[in-house]
Structure formats: structure tokens, C-alpha cells
RNA sequence: GGUGGGAUUCCCGAGUGGCUAAAGGGGGCAGACUGUAAAUCUGCUGGCUCCGCCUUCGGUGGUUCGAAUCCACCUCCCACCA
């Protein structure tokens, strides 16, 4: 039985449903990032109210803290965090990239020096799968090497080969009942390598496929070209996930190229830093001094809790004095923005107005 | 009334003859952020016709080649003594 049901399409854009043991997810979808077992500043109840159907967790971070003993004793990440809907856990492959200065690549994985206290530990496909089993997430990501940017063709090829090897090892590890596993395509900005990686990963065989190694510093055209190069080699009947992307326009452009799932820290991080998403992908620096006496909501058109109840002037004040409510309100607004964007995209594909919607996102 | 201490750029506060438009902090302003080492980080913060010039360190007047820094007087503030 397939985990992915195609419900409709508009060109390459797909409207679908992803089935997990903790419920279905309507796609295209956006997954808020909860690296350390919490979507920063949000309670599970708030996330549910915002309409988040699935969130992310992270293998590397949760392995370090609180550690497997505590997660195991709690009965997994779900009971530990009281989030009842699906969780996708990243494998730690992104930390191979983001913590490049603190690790050493080896044949069967990566030797890390903890970014917290410098203590050494080893994380490879076997370890990552083991940790994700303990976390008991619903979607497990294969362990990959997120290729840095820029990379020469030769470097990208070598990195891709490491990833294929590690993903094959990942695939050999057992999972808990009902857990599903996604493979990750690498290949940097090289179309031929993207194709090769996609073929190899599909050949290994996963429940879903991710395009990784994007949003690592490359230009938007390069990112979209990487998607275009990989997607044709991914099976129609499996969900496709573009990792770490992105801006509203990048999301909609990727949907137009056949992507079903997204995650990005942008709404939550920018929320904490006082920048709100408005309109058709524009940003508004709410904490800016020019809003000191602006008694309108962040976005008058928005229906989120923050916009229904608070003004720019007040939220700016909260940031100005360092009150956590400011962080929370803009996070709520931004997550509402991204989740509503996905809802609009899904509806547009259903009713045949996707290209119309897409054309509006020019920022 | 007396004695002592003090007044520095938006604020606090260093600086006691040239290396000082003046440390540091705060505040303010701007920018960055894409599978989160991030409620973080970076830059700017006297003016201008801006590779140079002008104005500024309570006020006025001196000393000196040169003063925020030394001297005199004045104004205000603080502490203690009457």
C-alpha cells in the first residue's frame, strides 16, 4: 500500500496526501522546524491551532540533549514533547554541513566534537537510524552528507558517492513498526550529478525522496535548477521533500516543479528576529523604529492571533524591551503565513488556479 | 557660611598637554538570517561640499607651537562640617 496518494495536479504541481501512522498530511505541506524537540516559542496546542500537521525534530541535537536514555525512558519524542501529530526527524546530515568545523568525515560516518562541550562522538548511518528509532519519529531521514556550496564537480561527485553509501547503510537498518524512511538526493549544482544521485537513491529504494544540499548558499536559480534536475528521476507515486526550503517564492516555484514537502527555519527564526512575512512573499521588519506609532496590525489582511489582536507599534515595543511575547507573536504570524500559503497552494491546484497564484509571488 | 568632590559626544562613563571626534557600556538606527551552534550575529551612531575641513568635552577669559586635559573667575550639582 502506497503512503502517497495523488489527488490532483496542475502541470508538475501535485496535490496529494501522505499517510503516516499518526495521521495523514495534506500536500504540498510545510513542516515547522523543531530541532530540539520544540518549535521554538510555540506550544503544541498553538501549532495545532495554526494547522501544522507535521513538525521536524533533529537526530544530532536530540542525541546530545536530552540524550537517548531520557528519550527512551519517556517513551519516545512524542510523549516526551506532547506533540501528537507526525514528526519527521532529520538524520544529522545537515550538521555534517553546518558544523563542518567540528567534524571529520570517515568511511562509515562522521566524528563530531559536540558544539556544546566539545566531547567526541560518532554519528553515521547506523547510529542515526538507531537514534531515530529511539526518537520513534514517523518519518526517518537517511543519513547523508549535505554537500557544501560551492563544490567543484569532482567534490560533489565524491560527496554524492559518500551519501549513496551511507544511505544504502541507512536502508539496511531496521525501523520500528509503521516508521517510514526517506532517501536524500545530493549532487550540488550539477544536473548530471543530481540525476545520478537520484537514480542511485531511488535504486536503493525508500518510502519517499528528498532533495538535499540546497539552501546552502547557492543562488535561487541554481536551487531551482537542482530541483529540476532531480525530480524527473523520482517516482511519481512517492512523496518528494525539498529540504530546508525556503522563501515563499522558492516554495511555490518548487511546488511548480513537483515538490510536495518543505521545511525551513525561516518563519520561526525571522519571527524571533522581528521580521514578518506579509503579502506575496514580502518581509516587514516589525521591530524597526519607523513602526513606533503604527497602530495597524502586521498585516491587515491576516487572520492570525497576532494580527487580530495586536499592532505593529506594540509588537515593536515588545522587541524593543526584549519581551518574549514579541518573539511569540511574530513566530505565530510567520507560521500562520507559511501554513496558510500551503493551504492556498493546495486549493489553487485543486481548482486550477495555481499558475495565477504562482504569478503573484515575485519577491 | 565653611571644606572637599564634580560637570565629557543621546545616556552612563573612561580620558589629566599632542598618538582624541574622544575607550567601554547602554540606548538608537540599519542589515543579515533557508534540513536552527541563532530570542542570534554584523555594521553605523557630531556636522559637512566627507581621501579633507568645520564644530564639540558646563561658561568666559588666559597660559602654550598645541588644551577635554594647566590657570583665573563665573554658573550649576554632590558630600561632609557649621
Amino acid at each position: 500500500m502506497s503512503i502517497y496518494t495523488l489527488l490532483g495536479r496542475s502541470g508538475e504541481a501535485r496535490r496529494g496526501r501522505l499517510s503516516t501512522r499518526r495521521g495523514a498530511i495534506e500536500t504540498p505541506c510545510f513542516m515547522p522546524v523543531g530541532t530540539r524537540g520544540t518549535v521554538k516559542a510555540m506550544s503544541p496546542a498553538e501549532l495545532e491551532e495554526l494547522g501544522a500537521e507535521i513538525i521536524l525534530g533533529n537526530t544530532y541535537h536530540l542525541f546530545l540533549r536530552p540524550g537517548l536514555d531520557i528519550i527512551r525512558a519517556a517513551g519516545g519524542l512524542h510523549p516526551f514533547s506532547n506533540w501528537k501529530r507526525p514528526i519527521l526527524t532529520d538524520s544529522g546530515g545537515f550538521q555534517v554541513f553546518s558544523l563542518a568545523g567540528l567534524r571529520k568525515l570517515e568511511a562509515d560516518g562522521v566524528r563530531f566534537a559536540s558544539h556544546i562541550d566539545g566531547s567526541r562522538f560518532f554519528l553515521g548511518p547506523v547510529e542515526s537510524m538507531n537514534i531515530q528509532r529511539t526518537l520513534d519519529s514517523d518519518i526517518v531521514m537517511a543519513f547523508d552528507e549535505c554537500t557544501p556550496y560551492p563544490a567543484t564537480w569532482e567534490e560533489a561527485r565524491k560527496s554524492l558517492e559518500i551519501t549513496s553509501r551511507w544511505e544504502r547503510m541507512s536502508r539496511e537498518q531496521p525501523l520500528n513498526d509503521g516508521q517510514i524512511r526517506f532517501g536524500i538526493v545530493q549532487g550540488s549544482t550539477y544536473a548530471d550529478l543530481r540525476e545520478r544521485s537520484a537514480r542511485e537513491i531511488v535504486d536503493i529504494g525508500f518510502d519517499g525522496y528528498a532533495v538535499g544540499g540546497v539552501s546552502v548558499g547557492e543562488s535561487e536559480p541554481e536551487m531551482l535548477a537542482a530541483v529540476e534536475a532531480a525530480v524527473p528521476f523520482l517516482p511519481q507515486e512517492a512523496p518528494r521533500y525539498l529540504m530546508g526550503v525556503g522563501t515563499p517564492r522558492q516554495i511555490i516555484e518548487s511546488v511548480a516543479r513537483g515538490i510536495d514537502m518543505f521545511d525551513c527555519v525561516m518563519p520561526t527564526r525571522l519571527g524571533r528576529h522581528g521580521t514578518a512575512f506579509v503579502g506575496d512573499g514580502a518581509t516587514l521588519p516589525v521591530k524597526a523604529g519607523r513602526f513606533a506609532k503604527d497602530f495597524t496590525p502586521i498585516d491587515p489582511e491576516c487572520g492570525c492571533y497576532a494580527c487580530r489582536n495586536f499592532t505593529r507599534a506594540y509588537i515593536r515595543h515588545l522587541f524593543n524591551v526584549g519581551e518574549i511575547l514579541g518573539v511569540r507573536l511574530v513566530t505565530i504570524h510567520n507560521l500562520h503565513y507559511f501554513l496558510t500559503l500551503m493551504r492556498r497552494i493546495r486549493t489553487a491546484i485543486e481548482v486550477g488556479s495555481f499558475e495565477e497564484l504562482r504569478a503573484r509571488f515575485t519577491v
Side-chain angles (χ1 to χ4, degrees):
Chain A
M1 186 199 97
S2 175
I3 60 163
Y4 179 77
T5 311
L6 184 64
L7 302 174
R9 55 192 315 156
S10 165
E12 288 301 309
R14 304 160 14 128
R15 168 75 182 91
R17 182 170 297 136
L18 173 60
S19 302
T20 78
R21 60 181 176 176
R22 282 193 176 82
I25 299 149
E26 302 302 320
T27 67
C29 73
F30 179 80
M31 307 181 278
V33 179
T35 303
R36 304 201 286 191
T38 169
V39 174
K40 292 181 192 293
M42 294 293 101
S43 71
E46 287 168 322
L47 287 168
E48 285 186 16
E49 193 182 324
L50 284 163
E53 294 190 309
I54 173 172
I55 62 173
L56 255 67
N58 182 281
T59 296
Y60 170 96
H61 293 276
L62 291 167
F63 168 71
L64 286 182
R65 292 187 304 195
L68 297 188
D69 283 357
I70 292 174
I71 294 286
R72 200 177 289 118
L77 184 54
H78 281 91
F80 186 53
S81 66
N82 195 36
W83 171 253
K84 297 181 170 60
R85 294 178 178 179
I87 294 177
L88 178 152
T89 42
D90 185 30
S91 60
F94 186 71
Q95 279 62 48
V96 180
F97 159 77
S98 65
L99 302 178
L102 297 172
R103 55 71 170 163
K104 206 177 131 199
L105 251 51
E106 294 184 6
D108 291 345
V110 183
R111 199 155 289 286
F112 277 101
S114 158
H115 71 283
I116 301 158
D117 62 4
S119 60
R120 310 302 158 93
F121 66 97
F122 187 82
L123 184 63
V126 174
E127 292 75 16
S128 179
M129 294 303 109
N130 180 42
I131 295 165
Q132 293 184 75
R133 270 200 311 278
T134 302
L135 293 170
D136 199 30
S137 52
D138 304 285
I139 302 178
V140 168
M141 296 306 296
F143 190 71
D144 66 329
E145 190 213 350
C146 179
T147 309
Y149 176 90
T152 64
W153 187 91
E154 196 54 37
E155 289 165 346
R157 195 207 91 233
K158 280 177 68 178
S159 170
L160 172 169
E161 287 172 2
I162 291 170
T163 285
S164 289
R165 175 179 152 73
W166 288 353
E167 294 201 32
R168 196 166 290 113
M169 291 170 69
S170 297
R171 178 70 175 78
E172 288 166 4
Q173 298 302 310
L175 294 179
N176 298 336
D177 277 357
Q179 277 189 312
I180 57 179
R181 177 162 39 202
F182 282 23
I184 305 171
V185 175
Q186 290 292 335
S188 190
T189 50
Y190 305 97
D192 58 330
L193 295 182
R194 284 288 173 183
E195 173 181 344
R196 179 181 155 189
S197 179
R199 288 184 185 281
E200 290 183 8
I201 301 307
V202 169
D203 189 56
I204 294 168
F206 290 94
D207 300 303
Y209 296 91
V211 174
V214 292
S215 63
V216 287
E218 80 284 8
S219 69
E220 190 171 290
E222 284 176 310
M223 174 194 289
L224 295 174
V227 172
E228 283 174 29
V231 166
F233 306 98
L234 302 179
Q236 284 288 345
E237 61 278 11
R240 301 149 173 180
Y241 162 29
L242 185 61
M243 305 186 79
V245 171
T247 66
R249 184 188 47 221
Q250 287 165 1
I251 287 175
I252 208 162
E253 284 303 317
S254 299
V255 167
R257 288 163 173 78
I259 299 292
D260 308 302
M261 304 165 68
F262 300 88
D263 81 281
C264 192
V265 304
M266 203 170 276
T268 43
R269 181 180 292 171
L270 295 206
R272 268 174 284 127
H273 297 174
T275 298
F277 285 87
V278 295
D280 296 323
T283 54
L284 185 91
V286 210
K287 69 174 172 189
R290 64 177 185 273
F291 299 122
K293 290 182 180 172
D294 187 334
F295 300 105
T296 62
I298 290 173
D299 182 351
E301 307 291 302
C302 178
C304 83
Y305 172 73
C307 288
R308 287 198 321 267
N309 295 284
F310 304 96
T311 63
R312 293 173 179 185
Y314 178 63
I315 294 170
R316 181 204 150 269
H317 163 255
L318 293 175
F319 269 91
N320 216 249
V321 296
E323 284 292 342
I324 53 181
L325 181 59
V327 159
R328 284 176 31 71
L329 290 175
V330 185
T331 299
I332 286 171
H333 170 84
N334 283 349
L335 284 176
H336 174 89
Y337 181 95
F338 275 67
L339 293 165
T340 301
L341 172 66
M342 303 318 291
R343 212 170 284 128
R344 290 167 70 195
I345 289 172
R346 290 194 296 267
T347 303
I349 297 172
E350 285 166 13
V351 305
S353 61
F354 177 71
E355 285 305 323
E356 224 168 278
L357 178 65
R358 180 186 177 188
R360 293 171 54 177
F361 284 77
T362 54
V363 186

